[in-house]
């Protein structure tokens, strides 16, 4: 794979007609649609490893949990996050960054990175940049990095910021993940990091449904073929 990124048109627009593909889950003959979704929602083991340093070293990412360990308060805060921050800011940003990576448009990725950072508070920027740094560190030794290599160089040279969602989009493109997988694994990371100190480490229920809802305006919904 050639790591060089060709010159691209303006960073402000993506290629006309660029569309996002849907994800179809194939269930085993004995599985129901619900079981197939459950298997998919358990995630990719290697992504769990890739995110391990973020989960271990950070108290939270974009979702800041309440200081109380009361589960009801936590779920209320998470629901607000799922209804407001995720659909209005975070998932559109991840989608935009992923499309730039898919189109191999380095300048579009850098531009998306800068615009996203301008809308965050200083504390939010710090969390996002630290998570991006840890993810870049975890992938430093990978070969044939595609757009991830010049994006990493741009960050090191100070031409890009390296916010987590943009880094994750570039890493996901390198590993040939769909936008659906990117969103699902990002949601899982937010949840697992925030619930680490909660009693019983409650699982993230309804992950496929939440992923599908958040992608409604960016990609066709998940389909299960039994």
């Amino acid at each position: 794979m050639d790591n060089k990124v060709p010159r691209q048109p303006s960073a402000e627009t993506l290629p006309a007609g660029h569309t996002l593909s849907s994800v179809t889950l194939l269930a085993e003959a004995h599985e129901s649609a619900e079981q197939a979704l459950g298997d998919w929602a358990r995630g990719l083991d290697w992504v769990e490893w890739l995110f391990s340093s973020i989960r271990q070293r950070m108290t939270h990412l974009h979702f800041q949990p309440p200081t109380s360990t009361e589960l009801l308060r936590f779920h209320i805060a998470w629901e607000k996050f799922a209804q407001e921050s995720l659909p209005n800011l975070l998932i559109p940003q991840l989608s935009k960054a992923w499309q730039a990576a898919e189109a191999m448009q380095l300048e579009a990725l850098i531009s998306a990175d800068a615009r996203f950072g301008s809308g965050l508070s200083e504390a939010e920027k710090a969390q996002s940049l630290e998570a991006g740094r840890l993810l870049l560190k975890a992938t430093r030794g990978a070969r044939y990095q595609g757009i991830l290599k010049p994006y990493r160089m741009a960050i090191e040279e100070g031409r890009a910021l390296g916010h987590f969602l943009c880094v994750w989009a570039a890493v996901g493109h390198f590993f040939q993940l769909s936008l659906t997988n990117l969103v699902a694994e990002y949601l899982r990371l937010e949840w697992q990091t925030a619930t680490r100190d909660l009693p019983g480490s409650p699982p993230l229920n309804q992950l496929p449904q939440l992923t599908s809802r958040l992608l409604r305006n960016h990609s066709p919904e998940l389909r299960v073929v039994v």
Side-chain angles (χ1 to χ4, degrees):
M1 184 182 297
D2 187 357
N3 281 323
K4 295 181 180 178
V5 178
R7 285 185 186 274
Q8 300 291 347
S10 168
E12 297 302 320
T13 58
L14 292 170
H18 187 79
T19 58
L20 306 177
S21 58
S22 62
V23 172
T24 299
L25 306 180
L26 300 178
E28 299 291 342
H30 63 279
E31 282 188 315
S32 66
E34 290 75 17
Q35 289 172 323
L37 283 170
D39 289 340
W40 174 83
R42 274 194 283 274
L44 306 169
D45 290 342
W46 62 267
V47 175
E48 291 275 320
W49 172 84
L50 200 63
F51 286 163
S52 60
S53 60
I54 297 176
R55 291 195 308 271
Q56 292 168 5
R57 299 183 186 186
M58 299 185 65
T59 57
H60 66 279
L61 190 46
H62 290 292
F63 171 62
Q64 184 168 1
T67 55
S68 171
T69 58
E70 184 182 344
L71 288 179
L72 179 58
R73 290 187 180 180
F74 181 91
H75 283 291
I76 290 173
W78 174 264
E79 185 59 27
K80 181 179 180 181
F81 176 71
Q83 295 290 340
E84 297 177 6
S85 298
L86 285 173
N88 296 331
L89 175 64
L90 300 173
I91 300 308
Q93 170 65 15
L94 181 54
S95 175
K96 187 179 301 181
W98 184 81
Q99 289 183 63
E102 279 283 287
M104 295 294 286
Q105 289 194 340
L106 176 61
E107 294 305 319
L109 185 59
I110 293 174
S111 179
D113 199 356
R115 287 196 301 271
F116 177 64
S118 67
L120 301 178
S121 68
E122 291 304 314
E124 290 169 335
K125 285 181 186 177
Q127 291 295 112
S128 178
L129 292 174
E130 175 62 7
R133 184 190 70 81
L134 291 171
L135 182 54
L136 282 172
K137 183 178 180 180
T139 56
R140 182 170 294 280
R143 299 177 62 189
Y144 310 119
Q145 296 186 28
I147 197 172
L148 178 60
K149 182 177 180 179
Y151 178 52
R152 184 194 302 275
M153 292 177 61
I155 295 170
E156 293 173 350
E157 293 168 359
R159 295 187 292 113
L161 296 171
H163 284 288
F164 171 79
L165 291 177
C166 289
V167 176
W168 178 222
V171 170
H173 177 261
F174 164 58
F175 285 111
Q176 300 182 345
L177 295 182
S178 69
L179 178 59
T180 304
N181 285 122
L182 284 182
V183 170
E185 296 302 329
Y186 161 62
L187 294 175
R188 195 191 321 277
L189 173 64
E190 287 276 16
W191 179 270
Q192 290 179 344
T193 305
T195 60
R196 184 177 53 215
D197 296 327
L198 288 181
S201 298
L204 175 54
N205 295 321
Q206 308 297 314
L207 175 59
Q209 291 83 352
L210 176 58
T211 302
S212 179
R213 176 167 62 83
L214 290 169
L215 284 172
R216 192 163 296 147
N217 295 326
H218 304 279
S219 175
E221 293 186 89
L222 290 167
R223 295 186 302 146
V224 180
V225 179
V226 181

PDB file of all heavy atoms in Angstrom, residues 5 20-21 27 32 35 65 134 220:
ATOM      1  N   VAL A   5      -0.060  10.459   0.115  1.00  0.00           N
ATOM      2  CA  VAL A   5      -1.409  10.961  -0.124  1.00  0.00           C
ATOM      3  C   VAL A   5      -1.354  11.972  -1.247  1.00  0.00           C
ATOM      4  O   VAL A   5      -0.623  12.960  -1.157  1.00  0.00           O
ATOM      5  CB  VAL A   5      -1.993  11.621   1.139  1.00  0.00           C
ATOM      6  CG1 VAL A   5      -3.363  12.184   0.858  1.00  0.00           C
ATOM      7  CG2 VAL A   5      -2.039  10.604   2.258  1.00  0.00           C
ATOM      8  N   LEU A  20     -22.084   6.619   2.213  1.00  0.00           N
ATOM      9  CA  LEU A  20     -21.668   5.681   3.243  1.00  0.00           C
ATOM     10  C   LEU A  20     -22.429   4.379   3.081  1.00  0.00           C
ATOM     11  O   LEU A  20     -23.627   4.381   2.852  1.00  0.00           O
ATOM     12  CB  LEU A  20     -21.940   6.280   4.635  1.00  0.00           C
ATOM     13  CG  LEU A  20     -21.326   7.659   4.882  1.00  0.00           C
ATOM     14  CD1 LEU A  20     -21.728   8.151   6.263  1.00  0.00           C
ATOM     15  CD2 LEU A  20     -19.827   7.608   4.741  1.00  0.00           C
ATOM     16  N   SER A  21     -21.713   3.303   3.215  1.00  0.00           N
ATOM     17  CA  SER A  21     -22.354   2.000   3.026  1.00  0.00           C
ATOM     18  C   SER A  21     -23.013   1.523   4.297  1.00  0.00           C
ATOM     19  O   SER A  21     -22.628   1.893   5.392  1.00  0.00           O
ATOM     20  CB  SER A  21     -21.309   0.973   2.574  1.00  0.00           C
ATOM     21  OG  SER A  21     -20.272   0.876   3.525  1.00  0.00           O
ATOM     22  N   ALA A  27     -26.567 -13.698  10.449  1.00  0.00           N
ATOM     23  CA  ALA A  27     -26.766 -14.533  11.631  1.00  0.00           C
ATOM     24  C   ALA A  27     -26.613 -16.002  11.265  1.00  0.00           C
ATOM     25  O   ALA A  27     -26.843 -16.412  10.124  1.00  0.00           O
ATOM     26  CB  ALA A  27     -28.155 -14.285  12.205  1.00  0.00           C
ATOM     27  N   SER A  32     -31.353 -15.900  16.389  1.00  0.00           N
ATOM     28  CA  SER A  32     -32.370 -14.901  16.090  1.00  0.00           C
ATOM     29  C   SER A  32     -31.671 -13.595  15.735  1.00  0.00           C
ATOM     30  O   SER A  32     -30.463 -13.445  15.925  1.00  0.00           O
ATOM     31  CB  SER A  32     -33.272 -14.681  17.308  1.00  0.00           C
ATOM     32  OG  SER A  32     -32.526 -14.109  18.368  1.00  0.00           O
ATOM     33  N   GLN A  35     -30.048 -12.186  18.829  1.00  0.00           N
ATOM     34  CA  GLN A  35     -28.798 -12.835  19.207  1.00  0.00           C
ATOM     35  C   GLN A  35     -27.644 -12.366  18.326  1.00  0.00           C
ATOM     36  O   GLN A  35     -26.523 -12.167  18.796  1.00  0.00           O
ATOM     37  CB  GLN A  35     -28.950 -14.355  19.120  1.00  0.00           C
ATOM     38  CG  GLN A  35     -29.823 -14.950  20.201  1.00  0.00           C
ATOM     39  CD  GLN A  35     -30.110 -16.424  19.968  1.00  0.00           C
ATOM     40  OE1 GLN A  35     -30.288 -16.868  18.828  1.00  0.00           O
ATOM     41  NE2 GLN A  35     -30.138 -17.202  21.050  1.00  0.00           N
ATOM     42  N   PRO A  65     -19.125  11.696  33.543  1.00  0.00           N
ATOM     43  CA  PRO A  65     -20.149  11.138  34.430  1.00  0.00           C
ATOM     44  C   PRO A  65     -20.308  11.966  35.691  1.00  0.00           C
ATOM     45  O   PRO A  65     -19.394  12.705  36.086  1.00  0.00           O
ATOM     46  CB  PRO A  65     -19.590   9.744  34.753  1.00  0.00           C
ATOM     47  CG  PRO A  65     -18.114   9.895  34.620  1.00  0.00           C
ATOM     48  CD  PRO A  65     -17.903  10.885  33.507  1.00  0.00           C
ATOM     49  N   LEU A 134      -2.912   9.052  23.051  1.00  0.00           N
ATOM     50  CA  LEU A 134      -2.771   7.660  23.479  1.00  0.00           C
ATOM     51  C   LEU A 134      -3.083   6.684  22.347  1.00  0.00           C
ATOM     52  O   LEU A 134      -2.420   5.660  22.204  1.00  0.00           O
ATOM     53  CB  LEU A 134      -3.687   7.398  24.679  1.00  0.00           C
ATOM     54  CG  LEU A 134      -3.298   8.096  25.987  1.00  0.00           C
ATOM     55  CD1 LEU A 134      -4.398   7.933  27.034  1.00  0.00           C
ATOM     56  CD2 LEU A 134      -1.974   7.547  26.517  1.00  0.00           C
ATOM     57  N   PRO A 220     -27.337   4.133   6.203  1.00  0.00           N
ATOM     58  CA  PRO A 220     -28.491   3.264   6.403  1.00  0.00           C
ATOM     59  C   PRO A 220     -28.346   2.481   7.698  1.00  0.00           C
ATOM     60  O   PRO A 220     -27.251   2.233   8.167  1.00  0.00           O
ATOM     61  CB  PRO A 220     -28.435   2.334   5.182  1.00  0.00           C
ATOM     62  CG  PRO A 220     -27.683   3.107   4.155  1.00  0.00           C
ATOM     63  CD  PRO A 220     -26.676   3.921   4.906  1.00  0.00           C
TER      64      PRO A 220
END
